[in-house]
Amino acid sequence: MPYRAPVAEYRFLLDHVVGFPQVAATDRFAEATPDVVAAMLTEAGRVCEEVLSPLQRSGDTQPTRLENGVVRMSPGFGEAYHALADAGFLGVAGPVEHGGLGLPMSVATALNEMMSGSCLASHLTPLMAQGQIEALAHHAPQWMQALYIPKLASGEWSATMNLTEPQAGSDVGALTTRAEPLGDGRYRITGQKIYITGGDNDFAANVSHLVLARLPDGAPGTKGISLFLVPKFLPREDGTPGTPNALRVVGLEHKLGLHASPTCTMSYEGATGWLVGEEHKGMRCMFTMMNNARLGVGMQGIGVAEGAFQHALAYAMERRQGRTPVGDKRGAILEHADVRRMLATMKAELFAARAIAFDCAAAIDMETATADPAWAARAALLTPIAKAFGTDTGLKLADTGIQIHGGMGVIEETGAAQYWRDVRVTAIYEGTNGIQAMDLVGRKMTDGGEAAQALIDEIEGGTEAARDRLPDLAGPVWQAAETLREATEAVVATTDPTDRFAGSVPYLKGFARVLGAHYHLRAALAEGGTGPRTALAQVYVRRLLPEHTGLLAEARAGGADLYALSDEDLAA
């Protein structure tokens, strides 16, 4: 089934659920008028439907390959990248003075979902460009911004970020890549990096690598890491690519999915690089790109969820099997109660995950526009939830889509299984979802839970506004918010990190469950308390929200029972 961009859904969320009008009302984003946003979303939807969507299956069956040290892309992917660049999507939130459009992150977030839903493999390299533009805009010297950002925004050059090493994994502080100063502002970079998305391609004139490495006087761990920009080709004085740098692709990963996206092992062999930001402050610089990417990866999961839902719904509307409870008793399987349950909960889950991510993006925009610490705290709190819940939703809905297809779901020709294979890695990269949860209960609670409690206050305030018109929805949401408040207080009071981290994943999931109900309640109110959004909110509150009780109970269970099982017990 061809992908259809849910533009109307995005506009409803922005206008009525996550408060985008206040973003557009700021001086910083005054250009983001309703007409501009509508035009951008509509054009993005057209490109995704007409250019990217046809590559979904062909990219899976015709993967990238490494030939004589050069990555050869799947047919059509280079043209798709340039189509995205020509429409301004790579630099949509980038600085106007360097070729970006300067639009809000909220708009970029909607675009990222569309690109992911139409063909996830084609979205990974554009996401790297967006993230690198933001990192350079915040931390790079002016000469570097002026040279690289316009090239990235135009699609002339592509981008990567290089963190992971074979011996380090998620422990970035264990990296061994070295950076030696040459005394003239340049550095010699030596080391190996793995899992590098878009490490090379055959459609960009140059590849701009951001590489974490340690200077000779760098302290052990993450505090001694610096960030360097290392191009594939050394730019000439006029900015055009010159001589090849001392780096190469030594292998491509053979992945479960995303076959059209090259995941490279990179070797830096005394390559020339330039410092980005301050010495030994590389993680702070890279986190700018990583936080951008974490929200973007959450949107990848949500985009795939949308694609899988559309695919499953189309199949369920056409497939006839068994006796159905309505009409001539031989209707489509959509009429069976369990199939309808799966599709209804898919749609409700999708709305919740999308609303969390859009709210996160709006908070980032308000932080950018106002520099208000309260908006910064809200954005920081929502980022790990948006990433983890968004990708978990992608996994869950892709799996449910296979179930709806029945036996045909595991037949590759139907395309149902590809959604699951492609989205599976999103729960792992840019910080596994377990790491996101640890970040939520750890770093994001160093304020004593103030940002979390402020969000819970907002949820309860929303239930009070809805209590007279929608009591059957408002009551359960208020009670769930109270349970979340108590769990948050317990997390903050837990001083043993093992106990806190043992419950971190269920806490994040429980938080997301309650947030989803909050946004569904807002949507129901926005349509007047009757209609399809209210009906969908009832599905969520009755069938999905009750999960928060068990999740938040587990969040408070501590870790003693886990460690009561010895290594030998687990292996027995």
Side-chain angles (χ1 to χ4, degrees), residues 444-458:
K444 302 304 164 56
M445 294 293 171
T446 55
D447 63 351
E450 182 178 341
Q453 295 290 1
L455 194 49
I456 295 168
D457 289 342
E458 179 182 307

Side-chain angles (χ1 to χ4, degrees), residues 344-563:
T345 54
M346 286 174 84
K347 190 173 182 69
E349 194 86 280
L350 178 57
F351 178 90
R354 182 180 283 141
I356 291 171
F358 274 43
D359 199 359
C360 180
I364 292 171
D365 289 330
M366 291 303 294
E367 175 192 358
T368 300
T370 68
D372 185 336
W375 283 114
R378 182 187 182 99
L381 181 78
L382 287 173
T383 294
I385 302 175
K387 191 277 181 180
F389 190 66
T391 55
D392 281 346
T393 298
L395 276 168
K396 182 178 180 180
L397 268 62
D399 185 76
T400 304
I402 293 172
Q403 187 71 19
I404 289 170
H405 278 76
M408 294 301 293
V410 295
I411 304 301
E412 287 290 353
E413 285 76 6
T414 67
Q418 184 186 341
Y419 290 107
W420 188 90
R421 288 190 290 102
D422 285 351
V423 80
R424 183 61 187 88
V425 71
T426 63
I428 297 172
Y429 61 36
E430 304 311 332
T432 67
N433 288 356
I435 289 175
Q436 303 301 319
M438 292 168 67
D439 176 52
L440 177 63
V441 303
R443 187 180 294 108
K444 302 304 164 56
M445 294 293 171
T446 55
D447 63 351
E450 182 178 341
Q453 295 290 1
L455 194 49
I456 295 168
D457 289 342
E458 179 182 307
I459 296 170
E460 293 192 349
T463 65
E464 292 300 329
R467 194 173 293 277
D468 291 339
R469 298 176 64 184
L470 296 168
D472 291 346
L473 295 177
V477 177
W478 184 89
Q479 187 58 58
E482 276 296 291
T483 305
L484 177 60
R485 188 186 299 281
E486 294 169 2
T488 301
E489 292 169 351
V491 166
V492 171
T494 301
T495 57
D496 186 329
T498 298
D499 285 341
R500 187 178 285 201
F501 292 153
S504 61
V505 168
Y507 176 76
L508 184 151
K509 290 182 176 180
F511 206 134
R513 269 282 164 260
V514 179
L515 278 174
H518 170 54
Y519 300 121
H520 270 289
L521 184 58
R522 277 188 177 179
L525 278 174
E527 75 168 1
T530 59
R533 296 187 183 279
T534 303
L536 191 66
Q538 291 171 345
V539 169
Y540 187 93
V541 169
R542 292 174 180 174
R543 296 179 179 272
L544 296 173
L545 179 60
E547 294 175 3
H548 83 279
T549 304
L551 290 166
L552 295 177
E554 184 184 358
R556 302 174 64 172
D561 57 333
L562 302 178
Y563 288 90

Side-chain angles (χ1 to χ4, degrees), residues 325-358:
V326 297
D328 62 2
K329 311 298 183 181
R330 293 292 298 173
I333 62 170
L334 177 62
E335 296 174 1
H336 289 295
D338 187 55
V339 174
R340 205 167 195 87
R341 175 192 62 82
M342 287 189 282
L343 287 163
T345 54
M346 286 174 84
K347 190 173 182 69
E349 194 86 280
L350 178 57
F351 178 90
R354 182 180 283 141
I356 291 171
F358 274 43

